[in-house]
Amino acid sequence: MPLTGLEIFKLLPNTNCRECGFATCLAFAMRVAAKKIDAEECPYLSEEAKEILGASAVPPIRLVKIKSGSDSVKIGEELVMFRHEKKFFHQTSFAVCIEDSKDEKEISEKLEYIKKINFERAGEILKLDLIAVKDISGDKQKFRKAVNLIKNSTDLPLILVSENPETIMAGLEEIPDHKPLIYSANIHNWEKMSELAKRYDASLVITAENGLNSLSELSEKIKNKGVENIVLNPNCSNPAEILANHTLIRRFALEKNFRNLGYPVILNVNGEESFINSVIGICKYASIALFEDLKVWEHLALLTLRQNIYADPQRPLQVDYGIYKVGEPDDKSPFFVTTNFSLTYFIVSTEIEGAGFSGHLLLTDSEGLSVLTAWAAGKFSGEMVGKFVNNSDIENKISHRNIIIPGYVAVISGELEDSLPGWKVYVGPQEASDIPSFLKNVWSKEN
Ligand code: SF4
């Protein structure tokens, strides 16, 4: 774990000699802790201090990169147990299995299915991240062929799934310029798998059948063989196991700095409890969720969950404030105002378009807060909204003087009318889902 300024200070000579350019050792330590300078700038660091500082600079959970020719996925390098302490850095990557026993047509259909799971939510594209080619046939030539077909049809990085090192080698030979993930080494094949991982610069999943002790022992052996990029498979099959084992692995890594478990974790999702296992895995530290099979709606729900868990809790999702066009508005189109919280913007604009209308949508600078929260925080008052309207060029875009405010802040309508003389304030619906009926039943009849 990174050291604090005071912890670094205790490792310094405390002579305040100023040779580093700072007036005191304490000032120097604070700059080192803030990562503004390197501790090596002090010429009087003891060997012991160098060793401690060097070890603290290594992330407690290793960053592992899985690459194709043109795409890559990063996992690991997490620093906290709970997202509110800072944030989670690398979201759970979603991988979908394609079995090598399928024929060319079936593989192409599965690739199409994977491509289709791609949608925009709150300004972010949500999609699947990895493809796992799975050895079902037991025939290394079939596996090779499947890897070849898939690498020529997608840019997504690959996971090669087999316990047979010869089959894995056949797959690796098809993608020598990628850095795939090999799944997996176990107590029987780990030496050969380690050799392959080193030769092809691949990352390696370790699976241990007998709990975290055997996982830790195997990870140490594989690291001593020279494989650095390891992913742990604690082999969990139900929600209780996932919760317990994933939490223990992260606690050992972060709180005990236990290097044997300081790696990202993969969760194999299959069987009857797939969906709930995935939910627990996303919330609790799975770096990769490897799906055998899942319905489209399940993927969409899980991608949405992932987006929420991995958003930075200290920075609300927001879009730039200003006036946005929804559809192809003209001077008679309705004029809405709301906050610049991303989700509000996307839901409101979608509902306006979904109703068959175009419109002008003013987003005020409410620091990414939702409507009610912004109002309660004093960032969405009638006076503020009036100022935004007056400072905008909306009067050049519309011929009417009607403004629609969110129903939840009906209370600002009087103040807004005072700020915008000559304007009519419409109190719109509370829920965005009622915008279509508002436009048809109120707006269209009066405008
Ligand atoms: Fe302290 Fe080292 Fe800087 Fe001297 S050079 S003030 S000992 S940190």
Side-chain angles (χ1 to χ4, degrees), residues 12-20 22 24-25 28 42-44:
L12 299 175
N14 197 15
T15 55
N16 301 332
C17 72
R18 296 177 175 237
E19 281 188 44
C20 56
F22 289 87
T24 62
C25 292
F28 176 81
C42 170
Y44 302 111

Side-chain angles (χ1 to χ4, degrees), residues 424-442:
K424 178 173 179 180
V425 176
Y426 282 82
V427 176
Q430 292 189 342
E431 301 298 337
S433 56
D434 293 327
I435 286 176
S437 61
F438 169 83
L439 286 170
K440 282 168 197 155
N441 300 328
V442 180

